[in-house]
Amino acid sequence: MPVSHPSRVERLFIAELAGEAERYEDVVSEIKAIINENDGRLTTDERNLLSVAYKNLTNTQRNSWRTIDGFEKHQAARTSGSATRTLVLIRQQRDRIERELTGVCQDIVNLLDKQLVPAANAGEETVFYSKMKGDYYRYLAEFAHKKDRERYAELSLNAYKTAYKHALSTLEPIHPTRLGLALNFSVFYHDVRKSPERACHLAKSAFDDAVMTLDSADTIMEQTLRDALMILQLLRDDLILWSGEMQN
């Protein structure tokens, strides 16, 4: 008896089930199958599942990298002269995490470049995917070695610029995707470009534009308003933190 392939609805169910079980590699596998079977077109639910899966995969690895990097710096501060065996072992583990993290980031960037972005509708979908590109190039820039860091930073900047330009012309200032983009783009300026001034300028501009739109909040869907307010709070927190850095 021939084995039937899962339908799109069944694949989405499997992906949702895998997400509940925190099996994010399985989520990615199912959504990739949907992408391949539907010419790169995803529903909002499918797109969000893919985004959450890659976010969780990279968050775990980024946290691991920071932990090992901290151990290495602590050990190096205690060691004089040539590298000790302990330092060598720490660096080997850090290199392994870097290879795994690079693989995941490049995987989603390739998926975006080759299938998702070309098939995206103008407006929110294009902004969402371009923002994702900026995010994962930013992650690569955070831990890359010097020769690659600037290249990834430039690729991240270009993706964020493309997303932001499109967002300004197609999305309302209070739209959660536009606000989320402003939040992450400002983090790029702060963390990668080491420019709290630019980060504050971008965050404050997005914050002020959105707050001005709140006068018409009665016409905004409740869930959209809730999401927007949550991001506005994050923007406000960052503005307070970064402004304090500049004053100090």
Side-chain angles (χ1 to χ4, degrees):
M1 193 174 171
V3 178
S4 61
H5 291 289
S7 68
R8 183 169 188 165
V9 171
E10 289 171 335
R11 287 200 184 280
L12 177 59
F13 172 75
I14 295 169
E16 290 172 336
L17 193 63
E20 289 295 325
E22 298 184 2
R23 291 183 57 84
Y24 299 110
E25 294 91 346
D26 293 345
V27 176
V28 169
S29 177
E30 292 302 322
I31 301 300
K32 278 184 175 180
I34 293 175
I35 291 170
N36 291 331
E37 293 164 5
N38 294 277
D39 299 321
R41 299 307 310 278
L42 294 178
T43 65
T44 301
D45 287 343
E46 293 162 352
R47 184 189 72 186
N48 289 339
L49 269 174
L50 184 72
S51 176
V52 168
Y54 275 108
K55 185 73 172 175
N56 277 281
L57 288 172
T58 52
N59 274 354
T60 299
Q61 292 170 329
R62 290 168 73 206
N63 289 336
S64 298
W65 185 90
R66 291 188 187 106
T67 299
I68 299 299
D69 188 57
F71 275 127
E72 181 182 356
K73 289 174 180 173
H74 176 71
Q75 185 66 27
R78 297 173 54 194
T79 305
S80 59
S82 58
T84 65
R85 177 65 178 166
T86 302
L87 262 180
V88 170
L89 293 174
I90 292 173
R91 285 169 182 165
Q92 286 176 348
Q93 183 64 18
R94 188 197 63 188
D95 290 344
R96 178 182 176 185
I97 295 169
E98 286 176 359
R99 288 194 298 271
E100 292 176 358
L101 182 49
T102 298
V104 175
C105 290
Q106 290 180 339
D107 184 52
I108 179 58
V109 166
N110 288 337
L111 193 65
L112 288 161
D113 272 339
K114 294 178 180 178
Q115 293 177 274
L116 296 176
V117 173
N121 290 322
E124 194 267 346
E125 196 173 21
T126 293
V127 173
F128 186 94
Y129 288 141
S130 297
K131 170 189 166 294
M132 280 185 74
K133 242 178 101 170
D135 290 342
Y136 287 96
Y137 275 130
R138 171 164 59 89
Y139 300 160
L140 286 165
E142 286 175 351
F143 67 86
H145 296 289
K146 187 174 181 180
K147 62 185 176 68
D148 291 323
R149 190 177 302 132
E150 185 55 36
R151 178 169 64 88
Y152 287 135
E154 195 65 25
L155 288 167
S156 178
L157 178 62
N158 290 337
Y160 279 136
K161 281 183 174 179
T162 297
Y164 207 63
K165 181 179 179 181
H166 199 72
L168 291 176
S169 63
T170 61
L171 301 180
E172 292 295 322
I174 200 68
H175 197 293
T177 299
R178 175 168 162 175
L179 284 174
L181 168 61
L183 177 68
N184 289 15
F185 197 0
S186 61
V187 168
F188 166 84
Y189 276 125
H190 180 270
D191 291 359
V192 177
R193 289 299 196 205
K194 309 300 181 186
S195 176
E197 296 86 356
R198 284 188 177 183
C200 282
H201 176 76
L202 178 58
K204 188 175 187 307
S205 175
F207 185 92
D208 290 345
D209 288 347
V211 168
M212 288 176 63
T213 311
L214 285 175
D215 292 336
S216 59
D218 56 330
T219 65
I220 302 173
M221 292 178 60
E222 183 179 348
Q223 183 61 49
T224 298
L225 183 60
R226 191 181 301 120
D227 292 343
L229 290 174
M230 182 179 67
I231 300 171
L232 283 171
Q233 182 61 53
L234 294 173
L235 281 167
R236 183 176 178 274
D237 292 345
D238 283 345
L239 277 167
I240 293 171
L241 178 64
W242 298 338
S243 296
E245 288 178 8
M246 289 189 293
Q247 289 173 2
N248 293 332

